[in-house]
Amino acid sequence: MRIVAAWAGDSPVYAKLAAVCEHTAKLYNPRAFVMVRNVHREPVTRYEAFVHKARAWFRAVRDTPAGVRIALLDVDTIVCGALDDAFRDSFDIAVTHRGGVGSINSGVVFARGGETTTAFFLRWFRLTARLAKSDKTKRFSDQDALKQCVAANLAAKVVGLPCQRWNCEQHTWKDFNKDTRIVHVKSDARKHLFNGEPLISEGAETVVTLWLAYAQAAGIAE
């Protein structure tokens, strides 16, 4: 299995998040090939960062042999367990959501290498680039592009996996438990960690405590 996370820009915050992501991915998946890297070290806008990530994920899938499993993660995630179970079912691509296409979160995607999967990710990358350039009203151009690709897809077998277990974000932090495999450190949890802002979301304190523990284990200063 391959675990890939990519980010762009010169933010020291994302450098720390990426270090924790890499540490935990290797900790719980010792046999996996783990690659967490900054694909563009110059300053970037929010929209440019989306495009760089989408391009990096496309290239990672393109370079993955047919049938090989790959987990694609945002660097602001914590891996809390082995990821093998995500591939228990047959699919080309698995997206994480809270119930339908409208609630897809593009921060975690699982896939199997192959031509069909590569074509899907190429379409996703190109649409992300188009949205990022032309429509600044779309706050998350990569996520909006993914939703469109899933809705319009006719070739790849795409399935959904629950965010609560595989991409536990601010809407599901309250449901975090021992079966949760990936936690997304975003929203008020990230703002609290790096800016000292108050915690609002239910379950955010658990996420902050978890990240700090792994950061300490990885030797990362706050």
Side-chain angles (χ1 to χ4, degrees), residues 199-215:
L199 295 175
I200 300 171
S201 304
E202 186 178 356
E205 185 174 354
T206 298
V207 175
V208 168
T209 301
L210 192 69
W211 191 89
L212 288 173
Y214 283 122

Side-chain angles (χ1 to χ4, degrees), residues 86-94 110-112 157-159 161:
F87 295 92
R88 182 179 299 174
D89 296 328
S90 174
F91 58 77
D92 296 309
I93 300 159
F110 300 96
R112 288 183 172 88
K157 181 178 180 182
V158 181
V159 302
L161 296 175

Side-chain angles (χ1 to χ4, degrees), residues 116-182:
T116 301
T117 304
T118 298
F120 182 97
F121 274 80
L122 177 58
R123 181 178 183 179
W124 181 14
F125 159 56
R126 287 175 172 170
L127 183 54
T128 297
R130 189 158 65 246
L131 291 178
K133 182 178 181 179
S134 65
D135 190 354
K136 297 297 191 291
T137 64
K138 292 188 178 297
R139 188 164 173 238
F140 300 101
S141 54
D142 65 327
Q143 193 155 283
D144 292 310
L146 178 58
K147 292 175 184 178
Q148 291 186 37
C149 289
V150 170
N153 175 60
L154 298 176
K157 181 178 180 182
V158 181
V159 302
L161 296 175
C163 275
Q164 182 276 325
R165 188 177 192 194
W166 297 108
N167 186 8
C168 191
E169 34 77 85
Q170 69 268 32
H171 299 96
T172 55
W173 285 340
K174 66 182 185 304
D175 301 314
F176 173 86
N177 59 44
K178 62 182 179 59
D179 292 322
T180 300
R181 301 299 174 87
I182 299 173

Side-chain angles (χ1 to χ4, degrees), residues 95-107 143 146-147 150-151 158 163 167:
V95 298
T96 56
H97 63 78
R98 291 177 283 109
V101 172
S103 60
I104 288 175
N105 185 297
S106 61
Q143 193 155 283
L146 178 58
K147 292 175 184 178
V150 170
V158 181
C163 275
N167 186 8

Side-chain angles (χ1 to χ4, degrees), residues 67-86:
V68 172
R69 301 169 300 166
I70 182 169
L72 298 147
L73 315 178
D74 276 358
V75 295
D76 57 343
T77 54
I78 306 168
V79 179
C80 302
L83 303 184
D84 301 270
D85 284 354

Side-chain angles (χ1 to χ4, degrees), residues 28-42:
Y28 290 107
N29 300 271
R31 295 183 179 181
F33 168 78
V34 177
M35 182 174 67
V36 179
R37 65 192 184 102
N38 187 335
V39 296
H40 185 84
R41 297 181 180 276
E42 299 299 320

